[in-house]
Amino acid sequence: MSRFFYSLILTLLMPLVWLYLYGLRGRKNPGYRRYFKERFGFSHATGDIILHCASVGEVLATAPLIKALLIDTSEYRLVVTTNTPTGREQIDTLFNKEIASGRVNVCYMPFDLPLSQRRFVRRSQAKTLAIIETELWPNLLHQAKCARLNTLVINARLSAKSAQGYARVAPLTRAILTDIDVLACHHHDDGQRFIDLGLAPHKLQVTGSIKFDIQVTDAQQAQAKSVKESLNQSPIWIAGSTHPGEPELLVAAHQQLRETLPDAVLIIAPRHPEQFDKVAQLLTQMKVSFSRRSEGAHQGEAVLLADTLGELTMLYGAADVAFIGGSLVTRGGHNPLEACAHGVAVLSGEHTFNFDHVYPALIQHGGARYVNKHSLTNELFTLLQDQEARQNMGQKGLEVVKQNQGAIARTLSLFKGAS
């Protein structure tokens, strides 16, 4: 009954959802209007495994697992789904060869309407549904079970705050958890929260986070070195995955920093493409010289605007210090491990609840520090002036990454058990 009322409410809201995605978001980013039929389950993507990655962050974190699945056996064909155009573009970029060969198909995950999900699941011809983190859509999971797919939730995390939200709709939450065959989570604390909400204990596996299994390639290292050289090896710091409300604080901090370190360069990488031009306008208004990464040439400007897709992990390697965005505002932060994998010292605002499975270890071992808008400039100045201190900090962050690796191997075993 709870699923029925959920579906009814969602159906009634669909005109507003359509207006928001196709109208408002589609006007800013035409990618939201392309392949719109797929959002109602009209997809031609087929494969053995449906792997759902909500957006760019999940795609990047899951890419090593996808590669491992493709290497592990030549039999797997994957349907990789996402919710956003940028997520889809990232899949197309990372797996263009596999898409061309037919081993990977990509499409949008449909709206969570019963008929749309049933149509999608049946057309996919899949045997397994794997959901990354906590994209727990009731009708998707239910239709997958009705079609006798094995249902996995991998890399799952559940904060105390999120658990409270699920508890408010307890009947629907229990129905969702009933339709899951295996739930693989980051930590025992996450697992206990799922059990408290109604997950059967025998369905729980603690595998750790696949985000720790990030590997920096030789090509990324070489490209990062080239970027660093193009910036004249100046003191460089990067602000990655910034959200509205942060760029003005970060640029102001950079202006203060350049009063004592006049050659310092800031690489600023907005989280979403629709913010590229807005940050460019802000830089112009603040009378800060900048170049665009997409235009290639940097002639000593104070800021490099990273207005490209798929390069953030590499760009972290070009910096001496990395600030991780979404954390000076209440967005919950973003993944610091991409910077740590390069051995780069990490700074973050205090709003990191989306990565509360990562930051405690980094902070405890000295691989990252919390800052606020008042202390950011001083922390930057201290680290950029002290090469030994920042290298020591970066090394400790890299050690945390290495100590927590292995989740991909443990997750692969779940797919073998499901096949």
Side-chain angles (χ1 to χ4, degrees):
M1 186 61 70
S2 59
R3 190 182 295 110
F4 169 80
F5 284 113
Y6 161 81
S7 300
L8 177 62
I9 292 170
L10 186 58
T11 301
L12 294 174
L13 290 175
M14 281 311 300
L16 294 177
V17 174
W18 182 89
L19 178 64
Y20 174 70
L21 280 184
Y22 194 89
L24 297 178
R25 296 298 296 270
R27 186 179 304 164
K28 297 177 181 179
N29 183 347
Y32 279 97
R33 294 180 176 179
R34 299 190 192 108
Y35 310 106
F36 206 75
K37 289 184 178 180
E38 292 179 356
R39 298 188 184 273
F40 293 93
F42 293 100
S43 168
H44 299 290
T46 61
D48 305 291
I49 298 172
I50 299 169
L51 194 65
H52 180 55
C53 311
S55 59
V56 172
E58 288 77 15
V59 171
L60 291 173
T62 312
L65 173 62
I66 295 174
K67 293 175 181 177
L69 280 168
L70 294 171
I71 292 172
D72 190 58
T73 173
S74 60
E75 298 177 359
Y76 285 146
R77 291 186 308 117
L78 307 182
V79 178
V80 184
T81 62
T82 186
N83 297 336
T84 66
T86 50
R88 186 175 190 137
E89 290 172 16
Q90 193 69 69
I91 298 167
D92 289 338
T93 299
L94 292 173
F95 300 102
N96 58 327
K97 293 181 181 179
E98 291 81 2
I99 291 172
S101 69
R103 292 207 64 196
V104 172
N105 286 294
V106 58
C107 68
Y108 286 123
M109 175 58 68
F111 297 127
D112 200 40
L113 302 169
L115 291 179
S116 298
Q117 295 291 18
R118 182 171 68 177
R119 184 182 299 116
F120 165 67
V121 168
R122 292 185 176 183
R123 286 186 171 209
S124 73
Q125 302 176 21
K127 300 175 183 177
T128 299
L129 167 67
I131 297 172
I132 305 299
E133 298 192 357
T134 47
E135 286 278 306
L136 304 180
W137 297 109
N139 285 317
L140 169 62
L141 286 163
H142 183 65
Q143 293 301 327
K145 288 306 296 179
C146 288
R148 298 186 178 181
L149 273 66
N150 296 299
T151 55
L152 311 177
V153 179
I154 58 181
N155 214 46
R157 56 186 173 84
L158 187 66
S159 67
K161 182 178 180 180
S162 296
Q164 291 174 359
Y166 278 108
R168 293 190 187 100
V169 287
L172 182 61
T173 298
R174 286 194 294 271
I176 292 171
L177 297 176
T178 298
D179 287 330
I180 295 171
D181 291 320
V182 177
L183 187 145
C185 67
H186 292 164
H187 192 271
H188 292 283
D189 291 344
D190 299 281
Q192 188 57 54
R193 292 185 189 110
F194 281 109
I195 290 173
D196 292 342
L197 289 170
L199 180 74
H202 72 273
K203 295 182 177 182
L204 179 68
Q205 298 278 346
V206 178
T207 56
S209 173
I210 63 175
K211 291 183 178 180
F212 283 101
D213 283 359
I214 184 171
Q215 299 289 338
V216 176
T217 66
D218 292 340
Q220 287 174 325
Q221 289 178 333
Q223 195 173 3
K225 182 180 179 181
S226 176
V227 172
K228 193 175 184 70
E229 291 174 351
S230 73
L231 299 178
N232 298 320
Q233 308 264 357
S234 303
I236 302 167
W237 68 288
I238 182 171
S241 296
T242 63
H243 283 261
E246 292 184 311
E248 49 264 51
L249 300 176
L250 297 164
V251 174
H254 187 57
Q255 288 177 309
Q256 293 175 15
L257 182 67
R258 280 172 63 90
E259 292 176 3
T260 49
L261 295 175
D263 294 328
V265 175
L266 164 63
I267 303 173
I268 187 165
R271 179 66 175 179
H272 299 113
E274 52 264 37
Q275 293 296 317
F276 293 162
D277 289 340
K278 292 181 180 179
V279 173
Q281 292 172 6
L282 173 67
L283 290 165
T284 301
Q285 291 169 2
M286 296 181 72
K287 299 181 179 180
V288 176
S289 63
F290 71 97
S291 63
R292 286 177 176 263
R293 171 69 180 160
S294 60
E295 296 175 355
H298 186 86
Q299 302 295 329
E301 292 86 357
V303 174
L304 173 62
L305 174 57
D307 58 347
T308 54
L309 294 176
E311 289 195 317
L312 181 57
T313 300
M314 177 276 294
L315 288 172
Y316 279 129
D320 300 303
V321 177
F323 172 84
I324 311 302
S327 58
L328 287 177
V329 293
T330 54
R331 297 290 300 190
H334 288 289
N335 186 3
L337 300 177
E338 294 168 329
C340 292
H342 282 283
V344 174
V346 167
L347 299 177
S348 171
E350 297 177 351
H351 302 288
T352 58
F353 52 83
N354 285 336
F355 287 84
D356 57 7
H357 60 292
V358 172
Y359 273 101
L362 285 177
I363 297 295
Q364 181 180 352
H365 287 81
R369 296 177 188 172
Y370 286 130
V371 296
N372 56 43
K373 63 181 181 180
H374 303 293
S375 63
L376 174 59
T377 304
N378 287 337
E379 288 287 358
L380 285 169
F381 178 76
T382 299
L383 287 171
L384 291 175
Q385 285 284 84
D386 191 338
Q387 180 178 358
E388 183 178 352
R390 68 173 182 266
Q391 289 181 344
N392 182 53
M393 190 173 169
Q395 184 60 37
K396 289 180 178 178
L398 180 58
E399 289 171 0
V400 170
V401 172
K402 292 181 177 179
Q403 289 169 2
N404 287 275
Q405 290 183 335
I408 285 181
R410 291 187 285 271
T411 302
L412 281 175
S413 67
L414 301 180
F415 282 95
K416 293 176 182 178
S419 61

